[in-house]
Amino acid sequence: MTVYVDVLFAVNFSMDFISLFICAVVMKRKIYKRRMLAAAAIGGIYGVFEVLCTMRTLIAAIVAVLVSFIMCFIAYYEKSIKRFTLMYVMYW
């Protein structure tokens, strides 16, 4: 099977950006485009890393939630970051 890293990154980046945008709209938060782009880029990089590296299931789940929290922290640093992260993971 051939995996194109640039396409994989682009798809993950796009989906992460859309998910962050939807969460911001649903939670009625101010949209920070540059911060959302940076967070989506981290998500895209993680998506590529996840495909290229094999991890055990439990470790992969923990790392995925941690990366989601970091992405939400970068995109929207607020007091309600836990609730925002929970909503993002639900859309994910």
Side-chain angles (χ1 to χ4, degrees), residues 23-24 27-30 69 72-73 76-88:
C23 287
M27 293 189 71
K28 298 177 182 175
R29 301 286 185 237
K30 185 176 178 181
F69 182 77
C72 291
F73 185 79
Y76 300 100
Y77 175 72
E78 299 176 0
K79 293 180 180 178
S80 61
I81 192 71
K82 292 177 188 174
R83 188 172 39 183
F84 193 89
T85 303
L86 181 63
M87 178 173 276
Y88 175 75

Side-chain angles (χ1 to χ4, degrees), residues 4-85:
Y4 295 101
V5 176
D6 56 342
V7 174
L8 182 63
F9 174 80
V11 169
N12 278 306
F13 176 85
S14 300
M15 292 307 296
D16 289 332
F17 187 84
I18 291 169
S19 296
L20 288 167
F21 184 80
I22 289 171
C23 287
V25 170
V26 168
M27 293 189 71
K28 298 177 182 175
R29 301 286 185 237
K30 185 176 178 181
I31 296 173
Y32 302 100
K33 292 178 185 172
R34 289 184 182 166
R35 296 180 83 178
M36 282 178 50
L37 289 171
I42 289 173
I45 291 168
Y46 173 70
V48 171
F49 174 75
E50 187 177 26
V51 169
L52 297 178
C53 299
T54 57
M55 292 187 282
R56 295 184 180 170
T57 308
L58 180 61
I59 295 172
I62 292 170
V63 171
V65 171
L66 183 63
V67 169
S68 297
F69 182 77
I70 291 169
M71 288 172 54
C72 291
F73 185 79
I74 290 171
Y76 300 100
Y77 175 72
E78 299 176 0
K79 293 180 180 178
S80 61
I81 192 71
K82 292 177 188 174
R83 188 172 39 183
F84 193 89
T85 303

